[in-house]
Amino acid sequence: MASFQVNSQNFDKWSVDLGGGIHQIGTPISSGYSENIFGQGNLGVRYMFNERFGLRLDLGYNQFSANEFSQPFTSNFYRASLQGVVNIGNVLKFHTWTKRINLLAHGGIGVGIVNVTDPVVSGNVFTLPLSVGITPQFKISDRIAVFADFSSIINFYQDINFDGGAATSSRESNISLFNTSIGLNISFGRYRKLADFYYEEKTPVESELDKIKKRLNTAEKEIADLKTKETISSPNKDLIMTELDARYIKRDEVKENKYADVVSGGNVNFIKELLNRGYINVYFDVNKSEIQEGSLNSVNYLKQFLMDNPTISADLVGYADETGSANRNKTLSQKRAKKVYDVLVAAGINPSRLSYFGGGEDTSVGKSARQFARKVIF
């Protein structure tokens, strides 16, 4: 049976995140000191393994100075961390309701340096910053998005406050720092497309073929199940066949004409495989040569395929179930094939591209699967 090709990841795996904005100190600041909120920036280099998960090298800088209500102080905080990134928007399928809004989540650990220059000179104090945050995004173009990032940083082993005072604890249990940034995400690579907004959007052809595949898999499974039920009593077999009839004679699909536009293009070989292996058939009621209403989709499918591919011709082979004599089954099977032939010719297919004949009894199925024997295959 034919397989389906998985879409390639047509996006740039590398991108840069450049932002800056405001900050607020949490616990590591002494009484009587408060900071100016402006003075932080960050640069991230990101690699996405796929459209959902990636890694980010985060580089950041905060400059702290006193505001008008504080005693004077000046300090710097440098950090570098490796963070995991999750594309929440893709996981939650934001693309089903928006094409421009997205949400990332990130978190990781690294190394930091606190350097106080006023009122004391501290030298470099090393810390272990743990960062977590969320990043809402708004898409400007395929490769550029605006973001607003909200990050919290816990500085473990920070022995000095940002104002130069002695820290009450070298292992902070509270959030040390809040950063709020605005910036740009920019992809780079041959696709010129951010991974953040990428999702595998299937064409109508691919979506319809997926539906066909699911139905074929279900049909094959149920046929296999029937073959293993030799000990089932006759009444139960009838119930099984009634259920199969109900599933594969889909009367609500007759007016949808759903296959009319999805049988051409790059799927010619796949459709030929479906037709040649008997996955798309026309079914009939007992002792009837009139096409079941639910099977008109299959006739329309072949009609459209032949119209889209004028160099292809088709053989129509009719079959009957095991009831009745051999001569009767031969005649009935040929009438069924002729009926499909007449419908296709009336629909505009050149008769020279069609041939039909009766195959008599379909010996490939047992008594418990008669519904599958009363058919015309392509």
Side-chain angles (χ1 to χ4, degrees):
M1 185 169 177
S3 61
F4 288 79
Q5 181 177 0
V6 178
N7 290 345
S8 59
Q9 296 175 337
N10 298 322
F11 58 81
D12 297 324
K13 295 190 174 183
W14 290 96
S15 64
V16 294
D17 310 324
L18 180 63
I22 63 175
H23 53 209
Q24 181 180 0
I25 298 174
T27 54
I29 192 167
S30 305
S31 178
Y33 290 86
S34 56
E35 77 280 6
N36 188 323
I37 64 172
F38 296 101
Q40 69 90 6
N42 56 82
L43 170 66
V45 179
R46 186 148 52 94
Y47 179 83
M48 298 299 289
F49 299 107
N50 51 50
E51 63 270 34
R52 294 188 174 187
F53 305 104
L55 286 177
R56 180 175 185 261
L57 175 62
D58 177 64
L59 305 175
Y61 170 70
N62 294 73
Q63 183 184 54
F64 300 108
S65 59
N67 62 24
E68 57 184 357
F69 306 105
S70 171
Q71 299 181 52
F73 76 96
T74 304
S75 62
N76 303 287
F77 174 50
Y78 309 89
R79 71 180 187 277
S81 64
L82 186 63
Q83 303 180 2
V85 179
V86 180
N87 189 344
I88 301 296
N90 193 289
V91 172
L92 299 181
K93 298 182 179 180
F94 278 22
H95 64 266
T96 59
W97 57 272
T98 179
K99 305 299 183 188
R100 292 193 175 273
I101 298 174
N102 194 49
L103 180 66
L104 304 178
H106 59 89
I109 198 166
V111 63
I113 297 175
V114 177
N115 179 268
V116 181
T117 59
D118 183 43
V120 296
V121 178
S122 68
N124 294 331
V125 177
F126 287 90
T127 68
L128 193 66
L130 172 66
S131 303
V132 293
I134 59 171
T135 309
Q137 298 171 289
F138 183 81
K139 179 180 175 181
I140 296 178
S141 67
D142 283 346
R143 68 180 308 179
I144 300 175
V146 175
F147 71 82
D149 183 76
F150 306 93
S151 295
S152 298
I153 302 172
I154 300 176
N155 263 335
F156 293 97
Y157 305 106
Q158 184 173 344
D159 296 326
I160 189 172
N161 290 342
F162 288 121
D163 56 83
T168 58
S169 172
S170 62
R171 186 183 294 274
E172 290 293 340
S173 60
N174 297 313
I175 293 175
S176 307
L177 183 63
F178 298 94
N179 280 338
T180 301
S181 304
I182 295 177
L184 294 176
N185 307 117
I186 304 172
S187 73
F188 56 95
R190 66 189 181 96
Y191 292 110
R192 295 178 173 266
K193 183 177 294 187
L194 271 170
D196 307 339
F197 292 88
Y198 177 85
Y199 61 95
E200 291 186 351
E201 182 177 18
K202 293 185 177 180
T203 65
V205 171
E206 292 170 327
S207 297
E208 192 60 45
L209 292 179
D210 276 349
K211 294 178 184 178
I212 294 171
K213 181 182 179 183
K214 289 179 181 178
R215 289 182 62 181
L216 294 180
N217 288 340
T218 302
E220 288 180 337
K221 182 179 182 300
E222 292 184 352
I223 292 173
D225 289 343
L226 284 174
K227 292 179 180 179
T228 64
K229 295 182 183 293
E230 296 299 331
T231 60
I232 296 179
S233 63
S234 179
N236 285 337
K237 288 182 179 180
D238 292 340
L239 289 175
I240 292 171
M241 292 314 306
T242 300
E243 173 66 16
L244 288 176
D245 286 347
R247 290 196 183 192
Y248 297 104
I249 306 173
K250 294 186 174 294
R251 300 183 184 277
D252 59 336
E253 293 181 353
V254 174
K255 297 181 180 179
E256 292 181 10
N257 197 26
K258 61 167 55 180
Y259 303 124
D261 300 318
V262 298
V263 295
S264 58
N267 297 282
V268 172
N269 290 333
F270 174 71
I271 301 302
K272 285 176 65 177
E273 182 73 6
L274 291 180
L275 293 167
N276 290 336
R277 296 188 66 176
Y279 287 125
I280 302 174
N281 301 320
V282 179
Y283 292 100
F284 299 81
D285 291 327
V286 179
N287 294 326
K288 302 291 184 181
S289 60
E290 293 298 320
I291 299 171
Q292 287 180 347
E293 187 179 0
S295 285
L296 291 176
N297 273 329
S298 297
V299 181
N300 183 59
Y301 200 106
L302 179 60
K303 180 211 73 173
Q304 190 65 38
F305 182 69
L306 292 173
M307 285 184 169
D308 291 342
N309 301 277
T311 62
I312 293 177
S313 59
D315 295 329
L316 314 176
V317 186
Y319 288 99
D321 60 33
E322 87 286 355
T323 60
S325 66
N327 289 336
R328 168 65 178 165
N329 287 338
K330 182 71 174 180
T331 300
L332 181 59
S333 64
Q334 183 158 340
K335 285 183 178 179
R336 287 169 173 170
K338 178 62 163 57
K339 185 64 177 182
V340 177
Y341 170 90
D342 291 340
V343 172
L344 289 171
V345 171
I349 303 301
N350 192 316
S352 65
R353 300 175 60 194
L354 301 171
S355 61
Y356 68 92
F357 59 93
E361 177 188 343
D362 182 3
T363 58
S364 66
V365 297
K367 296 180 180 180
S368 59
R370 289 172 179 169
Q371 170 61 35
F372 295 109
R374 304 189 295 269
K375 64 189 176 185
V376 168
I377 67 172
F378 307 134

